[in-house]
Amino acid sequence: MKPLTYTLITDGSSDAVLMRIVDWLLRQHLPDMPIAGEWADFRQFRTPPKNLDDRITQTIALYPCEVLFIHRDAETKTIDDRRDEIDRAIRQANVNHPYICVVPVRMQE
């Protein structure tokens, strides 16, 4: 069986730990499906993409997958504000790709 592939886009490198939660969640809902996840790591780039829409575009180009998980910390915003921000970035990136918003309301660090 072909695995479900996903890529996680995060605010920073410390947020890569969210992959464990995404993996757990997918295994809970798709117990018989192999899961293959990657973290979109832009640290090695001389000029990493700064804007969320640029990170989305680069992720799709460099980390092909079936589903994007796009992380933004809630910080001082509401969950709806962050979801709107992610939706807007998807439109600005001009991509038609399945994605799921990941908006923790408590920092994990």
Side-chain angles (χ1 to χ4, degrees):
M1 177 183 285
K2 183 179 165 245
L4 171 69
T5 59
Y6 78 86
T7 303
L8 174 65
I9 301 172
T10 63
D11 289 340
S13 59
S14 64
D15 298 313
V17 299
L18 292 169
M19 285 191 65
R20 287 187 232 154
I21 296 168
V22 171
D23 286 344
W24 175 83
L25 182 68
L26 289 171
R27 286 189 182 103
Q28 292 300 304
H29 292 278
L30 303 167
D32 298 326
M33 174 75 67
I35 307 294
E38 282 192 275
W39 171 57
D41 184 3
F42 294 109
R43 293 177 299 176
Q44 73 274 9
F45 285 58
R46 182 182 297 188
T47 55
K50 299 285 184 205
N51 300 329
L52 184 55
D53 57 316
D54 292 335
R55 289 189 311 199
I56 291 167
T57 303
Q58 289 293 320
T59 297
I60 291 171
L62 299 171
Y63 300 92
C65 63
E66 294 170 270
V67 181
L68 290 175
F69 284 82
I70 305 172
H71 162 259
R72 293 290 290 131
D73 282 325
E75 296 174 341
T76 61
K77 308 281 186 181
T78 68
I79 293 171
D80 289 336
D81 289 341
R82 288 302 190 191
R83 189 175 346 150
D84 291 345
E85 176 187 356
I86 293 168
D87 292 343
R88 213 172 20 258
I90 286 284
R91 286 192 306 275
Q92 289 171 343
N94 198 27
V95 296
N96 184 18
H97 200 86
Y99 68 97
I100 296 171
C101 301
V102 178
V103 184
V105 293
R106 267 192 204 157
M107 294 197 50
Q108 300 301 310
E109 289 88 16

